[in-house]
Amino acid sequence: MNLLSTDDTFEEQNFASGDVLVFEGKATDFVYLIRRGKVATFTMSSDRIYPISLIDGDGLLGEDCTFTGAPSNYSAVVLENTTAVKIPVETVQNFIKESPAWVGNLVGEISGRLMKTIDIIGEHKILDDKLFGGVSLTEQEEKMLRKSIT
């Protein structure tokens, strides 16, 4: 899936392993279009990590907060050097405002459902000790995630 066409309005930026792109419980100022690299999304409860997803290659982060205005219900940390396009939330919101009303309603509804799903995953500790459908976190990766968000 190619989330970003040849549009060069925003420049690609490089992020190093351990960089935090999204903090759980805080609003994000950017939507990230991940082009290359690996980023883990997860929640933390009682000092335990509960993985949600792994973006490996290309993907999207921060869109849920953009459309709902709520703080993020997950953290996102770079696992391997990553290239992404940072788009200011304000730019995305202005684009939605200029679109027909149904576009904003549709995107808001989809984002709201996504956030509820992430809440359920964290609340019920789905995937528990397994990361991303069966791939376990190494001790080193888990230490790096903890260090990055504290």
Side-chain angles (χ1 to χ4, degrees):
M1 156 169 68
N2 185 359
L3 295 171
L4 187 65
S5 64
T6 57
D7 183 357
D8 60 357
T9 304
F10 303 99
E11 293 183 19
E12 291 184 342
Q13 295 183 13
N14 296 313
F15 297 92
S17 178
D19 285 350
V20 180
L21 302 181
V22 178
F23 280 97
E24 184 175 1
K26 296 185 179 181
T28 181
D29 294 328
F30 299 96
V31 173
Y32 296 88
L33 298 174
I34 307 301
R35 300 294 302 219
R36 289 175 291 286
K38 287 187 181 181
V39 179
T41 64
F42 59 95
T43 62
M44 234 176 127
S45 176
S46 301
D47 205 33
R48 190 158 179 204
I49 292 175
Y50 296 98
I52 297 168
S53 68
L54 173 67
I55 297 173
D56 187 2
D58 65 344
L60 183 64
L61 288 171
E63 78 288 355
D64 46 352
C65 299
T66 300
F67 304 121
T68 63
S72 179
N73 52 3
Y74 65 89
S75 291
V77 176
V78 174
L79 291 178
E80 294 178 4
N81 291 342
T82 294
T83 302
V85 177
K86 263 173 76 169
I87 302 173
V89 165
E90 185 177 295
T91 300
V92 177
Q93 290 171 337
N94 288 338
F95 175 79
I96 295 293
K97 286 178 188 174
E98 294 170 6
S99 299
W102 67 266
V103 172
N105 293 338
L106 179 68
V107 171
E109 181 64 25
I110 291 169
S111 294
R113 289 181 185 186
L114 175 61
M115 288 185 75
K116 286 178 186 175
T117 301
I118 292 170
D119 285 340
I120 289 169
I121 288 170
E123 183 178 315
H124 296 282
K125 290 137 184 78
I126 299 170
L127 297 176
D128 204 9
D129 293 329
K130 299 291 183 179
L131 178 64
F132 320 120
V135 178
S136 296
L137 275 173
T138 66
E139 188 176 319
Q140 183 179 2
E141 288 171 328
E142 190 167 327
K143 283 181 182 178
M144 188 263 299
L145 292 177
R146 288 179 194 285
K147 182 180 178 183
S148 295
I149 61 171
T150 54

